[in-house]
Amino acid sequence: MRRTRIMRAGLAVLLLLGVGATAGTVPATADEKQPASAGLLTAMQRDFHLTKAEAEARLAAERWATALESKLRRTAGTSYGGSWFDAAEGTLTVAVTPDTPATALREIRAAGATVRTVTHSARELAATQARIDKVPAPDAVSSWHVDPKASTVVVNVVSGRQGDNDVREFVARARKAGPVTVREVATAPTTFAAGTVGGDPYYTGNVRCSIGFSVYGGFVTAGHCDQHTGSVYGWDRSYVGNFQGSSFPDNDYAWVNVGSGWWTVPVVLGWGTVSDQLVRGSNVAPVGSSICRSGSTTHWHCGTVLAMNETVNYSQGAVHQMTKTSVCAEPGDSGGSFISGDQAQGVTSGGWGNCSSGGETWFQPVNEILNRYGLTLHTA
């Protein structure tokens, strides 16, 4: 059952999203056997067509892979080419270049990861992407990101638009920057802000967005939600606080201070679909992991992490270092939480599609927001 307005008044400010940790928080580790809530398992079964046992096994494997990935990245050093999680096999693959020392290969395999040899290092691919970021992109170029499996930078172009003169010029300049592959996508991304409508939102100007994660002193959310009117109001139109900082485009993050009777809690709202989720840290889930989103329009939905560090080309300008997911979203969900297990991942930015026919959604990673403004994630 949906919560009463009284119950939500306290939570709505900071629970609509799951986010990550920074100085002053202690992320949960894979060794901490935090049982998955019944609601989360139900959502996993619904969105991934799993049995309960399969959902539990997948979450356990993802906790292991998330904890292991950062360690093996250091082990591979400059030879590191990226990594990804295989949900079907429950395995973590670490890509490395041919010059990887034998001792590092042994250590990676001994840790339980699979090794894949690739042509380019993650550092080389990141440099290619950075060079492409400096090239003005036409609206038919949807986004670009590093694909560690293919060891290339993927440039996504809206279907039927590859022949446009400005697209051909962009692709030609991108190929000069380094290894590039062009792929077609269905449509261009848009942000998910919305006009004033009912629900459990926060309001600023004439825009409704969703709260992200609680931090000490306020909450984080999407930067494009800042209408530069200053004041932010809760679901009941009572004053919550003000935007203290925001960035969009280039980034898509912001934070709002909280006062006037509102308070912060380390919770992501489950909207009755799942139990409200406690936030225990912000370890980054690898590509291939399951991830769920909470927002004030479409509430709770789950999907998979598809790509990291993708540059998204909105009509307002490019936003860098985003994470792409298969989770759906709709206007008003902007700023809402992305969470993997009990680990905060980021705040909803934009995408394409809807929650009737499906789509893809990008989020701004939470750790970057925390580090940018010196904030501390409120954790359980």
Side-chain angles (χ1 to χ4, degrees), residues 76 78-81 94-105 109 115-122 124 151:
T78 57
S79 301
Y80 179 74
V94 176
V96 296
T97 54
D99 59 349
T100 307
T103 53
L105 294 175
R109 292 190 175 103
V115 175
R116 169 88 64 88
T117 302
V118 294
T119 305
H120 304 286
S121 69
E124 291 172 326
S151 197

Side-chain angles (χ1 to χ4, degrees), residues 33-45 52 55-56 59 63 268-270 273-278 280 292 300 302 339 341-342:
K33 304 298 183 181
Q34 297 291 344
S37 70
L40 176 58
L41 292 173
T42 298
M44 295 281 289
Q45 292 172 73
K52 180 181 178 182
E56 290 174 330
L59 289 170
R63 287 194 296 270
V268 172
L269 193 62
T273 301
V274 300
S275 301
D276 294 345
Q277 302 293 298
L278 289 175
R280 299 184 185 278
C292 297
W300 184 271
C302 299
I339 188 168
D342 57 12

Side-chain angles (χ1 to χ4, degrees), residues 69-310:
E69 192 274 341
S70 60
K71 175 184 176 182
L72 297 187
R73 180 191 295 261
R74 294 191 295 271
T75 299
T78 57
S79 301
Y80 179 74
S83 62
W84 56 91
F85 176 75
D86 185 324
E89 300 295 330
T91 57
L92 178 71
T93 298
V94 176
V96 296
T97 54
D99 59 349
T100 307
T103 53
L105 294 175
R106 286 195 295 270
E107 187 172 341
I108 293 170
R109 292 190 175 103
T114 300
V115 175
R116 169 88 64 88
T117 302
V118 294
T119 305
H120 304 286
S121 69
R123 182 177 298 178
E124 291 172 326
L125 295 175
T128 297
Q129 183 178 13
R131 287 190 285 270
I132 297 173
D133 284 344
K134 297 177 181 179
V135 180
D139 59 5
V141 175
S142 169
S143 62
W144 51 97
H145 71 276
V146 169
D147 181 347
K149 288 185 182 181
S151 197
T152 186
V153 174
V154 174
V155 173
N156 296 301
V157 177
V158 175
S159 180
R161 302 287 299 277
Q162 286 196 39
D164 291 4
N165 289 335
D166 53 358
V167 172
R168 290 204 306 266
E169 181 181 353
F170 178 87
V171 170
R173 295 181 66 180
R175 292 190 191 282
K176 292 180 180 178
V180 163
T181 300
V182 177
R183 294 178 187 168
E184 283 194 355
V185 294
T187 188
T190 60
T191 55
F192 287 128
T196 301
V197 296
D200 290 308
Y202 73 86
Y203 298 91
T204 175
N206 65 346
V207 165
R208 170 172 64 84
C209 281
S210 300
I211 291 168
F213 294 94
S214 294
V215 296
Y216 287 98
F219 65 84
V220 295
T221 186
H224 72 264
C225 293
D226 184 2
Q227 299 298 293
H228 304 288
T229 57
S231 299
V232 172
Y233 300 89
W235 66 266
D236 60 352
R237 297 293 185 167
S238 67
Y239 172 74
V240 174
N242 290 0
F243 278 95
Q244 299 298 302
S246 68
S247 176
F248 180 80
D250 188 28
N251 305 290
D252 194 5
Y253 52 60
W255 82 282
V256 175
N257 68 327
V258 167
S260 302
W262 293 80
W263 65 93
T264 68
V265 290
V267 175
V268 172
L269 193 62
W271 294 98
T273 301
V274 300
S275 301
D276 294 345
Q277 302 293 298
L278 289 175
V279 178
R280 299 184 185 278
S282 60
N283 287 337
V284 178
V287 169
S289 299
S290 63
I291 194 166
C292 297
R293 178 192 56 73
S294 180
S296 63
T297 298
T298 58
H299 299 171
W300 184 271
H301 287 273
C302 299
T304 302
V305 178
L306 300 178
M308 293 182 177
N309 295 321
E310 184 154 16

